[in-house]
Amino acid sequence: MFGSKRKQTKAEKEQRLGAPLITYYEPKSIIAEQYRTLRTNLEFAQVGRDVRSIAITSSMPMEGKSTTSANLAHTLGQTGRNVLIVDADLRKPTLHRTFKLNNEQGLTTLLANPDLKFNQVVQKSNELGLYFLPSGPIPPNPAELIGSPQMSALMSELRDNFDMVIYDTPPVISVTDAQILATRVDGVIMVARQNFARKDNVREAKEALDNVKANILGFVINNVPFEEGKGYGYYAYYGTEGDEE
């Protein structure tokens, strides 16, 4: 009917509002505990390795990569680490909505303007215990900016100045950005949404990351049912290298 509004799906509402920061708003929930478990598993994955920068991605959109990025960054910040989260999704950024911060300046303006300093665009939340670098305005050439020497130099600088840097990246299959970033970080975490992600897509995404010799630390499986009586939650973590299935 003319003038009527189509009812938004839950996924569309989350996209509009930004990823839910469950570890902050519902710290005692089962889901928040799963993120703390993810943090612990990440610490074990770091044993014997110097893992200080991580890219978080998925095979396709709407699988929960931004939610994982935001909540993992928050749980890491709660331990007293010097944590930075970077919205490196220069096509559909959402993290500025999650953290309720402006996106007027960010990664894109920093890369495009050599006179601009990192301290001029980074935003700090003392309440959340972390730093945030938003994407900035969406550029006409995201892949070129991500693959630029300026981006490579910035990532090296950030790694040297923070205990942990988390990059929320676009999905692997959609564009090449995640593959480029995967070659410049210490590790990659892939997110897959149960009963949504196609096995062939997940396999294709993993092969794409393997082709650039990405260090895949593990997988976050989203929308996994908990034990009987506890309902459904968002995240569980398992699997590392060598588990093809």
Side-chain angles (χ1 to χ4, degrees):
M1 182 182 297
F2 182 77
S4 64
K5 292 184 178 180
R6 180 177 63 86
K7 186 176 180 181
Q8 287 186 313
T9 66
K10 180 180 178 181
E12 288 172 330
K13 289 179 180 178
E14 289 180 355
Q15 180 79 7
R16 176 174 59 84
L17 297 173
L21 196 58
I22 302 165
T23 52
Y24 177 74
Y25 291 107
E26 302 177 46
K28 296 182 180 180
S29 66
I30 295 175
I31 300 170
E33 183 59 34
Q34 290 295 310
Y35 281 115
R36 289 188 284 271
T37 300
L38 173 59
R39 178 185 65 194
T40 300
N41 286 334
L42 179 59
E43 290 170 350
F44 278 106
Q46 291 177 265
V47 175
R49 310 176 184 178
D50 189 17
V51 179
R52 297 178 62 181
S53 60
I54 297 173
I56 298 183
T57 189
S58 58
S59 63
M60 298 295 290
M62 308 309 298
E63 295 197 55
K65 65 177 184 60
S66 297
T67 302
T68 301
S69 299
N71 285 275
L72 177 59
H74 179 230
T75 58
L76 287 168
Q78 288 180 311
T79 65
R81 291 180 176 89
N82 197 24
V83 178
L84 169 69
I85 180 169
V86 179
D87 195 339
D89 190 339
L90 304 187
R91 300 164 192 273
K92 292 184 178 179
T94 59
L95 288 181
H96 60 285
R97 299 189 186 102
T98 296
F99 295 110
K100 296 179 172 58
L101 298 171
N102 74 72
N103 196 34
E104 294 176 1
Q105 291 192 114
L107 180 58
T108 56
T109 49
L110 193 61
L111 295 175
N113 187 348
D115 295 326
L116 199 62
K117 304 298 182 184
F118 173 74
N119 290 338
Q120 295 177 265
V121 296
V122 70
Q123 301 180 51
K124 181 180 180 182
S125 172
N126 292 320
E127 187 175 7
L128 297 177
L130 52 81
Y131 292 84
F132 173 53
L133 180 61
S135 68
I138 297 175
N141 57 340
E144 286 76 8
L145 284 180
I146 290 294
S148 68
Q150 293 91 331
M151 182 66 178
S152 181
L154 176 63
M155 292 178 72
S156 295
E157 179 184 349
L158 297 180
R159 186 184 184 279
D160 291 339
N161 286 280
F162 287 90
D163 298 324
M164 180 63 73
V165 184
I166 295 178
Y167 295 89
D168 179 37
T169 79
V172 176
I173 294 179
S174 303
V175 290
T176 61
D177 303 25
Q179 284 178 277
I180 296 171
L181 290 168
T183 66
R184 298 174 176 175
V185 294
D186 300 321
V188 177
I189 293 176
M190 277 194 62
V191 178
R193 180 176 168 188
Q194 184 165 294
N195 298 322
F196 180 87
R198 293 171 55 92
K199 288 184 179 180
D200 54 341
N201 285 342
V202 175
R203 187 177 295 110
E204 181 183 347
K206 182 181 182 298
E207 289 175 353
L209 293 173
D210 287 339
N211 287 339
V212 296
K213 296 180 170 55
N215 177 26
I216 301 177
L217 299 174
F219 293 79
V220 172
I221 311 302
N222 178 11
N223 204 35
V224 177
F226 291 115
E227 296 175 11
E228 186 178 355
K230 295 184 178 180
Y232 285 78
Y234 279 96
Y235 300 90
Y237 175 92
Y238 65 89
T240 50
E241 307 126 353
D243 187 354
E244 292 296 332
E245 293 301 319

